[in-house]
Amino acid sequence: MTVPAPPPPSVAETPAVVAGLLNGRIETPDPEGGGVRETAEFLNGLLNGEVCQFENGQVVRKLTYVAGLPQGPATFYAAGRPVQHAQFLAGRLEGPSEILDPAGRVTVAMHYRLGVLQGPLRTYQEGILTMEALFVAGVQEGPATCYDPRGRIVSVTPYHGGQRYGEARYFSPDGALIRSETYLRDHLEGPTTDYAPSGRLRSRAFYHKGELHGETTLYDEHEKVIQRRVYHEGKVVLVNGKPVAASGKPVAAGAAAPAVTPPSPSPGGRS
């Protein structure tokens, strides 16, 4: 979040000037609307106290300054209503911050340390928790968990260095695993498996750099193979052992199918 520097008032707008330095409460008029654009408090030429900024007669920012830097609680507004609460320390975001919906309910709750996200971040919809994530020094790390409106886990996705890394899992409303995906540096890499809510295997595929690469297998209700496809860099080259041309049509008898590089090992997790 960037806090815009308040525009300095001219000496003519200044009710108190001591040794050439602004002191006291300042009102800066709005040259377009005719009202007040800003109210601020100065001490020895530095902002010190409450600063309020206005647009079209409505407050848009309310912050507290100490020795020229934002310090303490801050509130940001849209159409006259609060849309975000934050805390500052020595000019940087520090501590809890919340984003609000039009009804005043929290939609995002987060925590800052030295101006960057640090710790848990939670999102809400109409007051109901929808997602939890973790940040370390401004970078997303660890599992991100999504929830349905009844509080049941929908998915758990691991992050490392701000990117998806490892096995992501998706669940049915009953809590059964219905899909697993493997990521490496934010791209699908390795096995992806789909399950029926009963736990029955439905399909398995392999990815490389985000594209289907290797064998994809579909299973019937008895987990018997009903189709095998082989992909090379996102394009199917074999269906049930028969070569397929780039056009999607079967390759003529005797023609060689493109060579397929085996998929690389997954970065960890269930296959």
Side-chain angles (χ1 to χ4, degrees):
M1 178 194 302
T2 302
V3 179
S10 67
V11 175
E13 298 166 342
T14 305
V17 178
V18 178
L21 300 176
L22 298 176
N23 280 271
R25 187 173 186 273
I26 311 297
E27 283 194 2
T28 303
D30 185 348
E32 297 181 359
V36 175
R37 183 174 61 176
E38 178 183 274
T39 61
E41 296 179 14
F42 283 80
L43 179 64
N44 296 328
L46 298 175
L47 285 165
N48 203 85
E50 186 176 79
V51 174
C52 294
Q53 297 175 340
F54 303 86
E55 291 180 4
N56 299 320
Q58 293 185 320
V59 62
V60 292
R61 300 178 189 89
K62 185 181 293 185
L63 302 94
T64 300
Y65 279 73
V66 174
L69 296 173
Q71 175 124 345
T75 303
F76 300 83
Y77 300 81
R81 63 172 182 82
V83 294
Q84 184 169 4
H85 298 300
Q87 297 280 334
F88 283 85
L89 178 64
R92 294 189 289 191
L93 286 162
E94 183 78 17
S97 180
E98 296 178 337
I99 298 175
L100 311 176
D101 67 12
R105 296 168 298 199
V106 175
T107 60
V108 183
M110 51 205 156
H111 196 277
Y112 284 87
R113 171 69 175 157
L114 300 176
V116 297
L117 288 168
Q118 176 74 26
L121 181 148
R122 298 180 175 92
T123 64
Y124 300 84
Q125 186 172 3
E126 296 182 352
I128 299 173
L129 178 66
T130 58
M131 190 272 290
E132 291 181 295
L134 182 67
F135 284 78
V136 178
V139 179
Q140 190 170 354
E141 294 281 354
T145 305
C146 295
Y147 301 88
D148 71 10
R150 295 178 61 181
R152 298 170 297 197
I153 294 176
V154 173
S155 66
V156 179
T157 304
Y159 280 78
H160 178 63
Q163 298 179 324
R164 289 170 292 182
Y165 191 102
E167 183 192 19
R169 295 170 293 158
Y170 302 82
F171 302 91
S172 71
D174 295 329
L177 178 67
I178 56 174
R179 182 176 176 86
S180 67
E181 300 172 337
T182 309
Y183 285 90
L184 178 65
R185 290 188 286 273
D186 219 31
H187 294 288
L188 285 168
E189 184 74 32
T192 294
T193 309
D194 289 292
Y195 304 89
S198 63
R200 172 179 58 84
L201 182 62
R202 298 179 63 181
S203 68
R204 179 175 284 125
F206 287 86
Y207 284 80
H208 179 56
K209 295 183 178 179
E211 293 185 327
L212 283 165
H213 190 81
E215 187 172 86
T216 294
T217 308
L218 303 179
Y219 301 87
D220 67 11
E221 60 184 7
H222 303 293
E223 294 194 4
K224 292 183 179 180
V225 176
I226 57 175
Q227 187 183 82
R228 295 184 192 274
R229 290 184 170 222
V230 177
Y231 287 82
H232 179 72
E233 296 180 351
K235 298 179 180 180
V236 61
V237 294
L238 292 173
V239 176
N240 293 332
K242 298 181 179 180
V244 176
S247 63
K249 297 181 180 180
V251 174
V260 178
T261 304
S264 60
S266 67
R270 175 177 176 174
S271 63

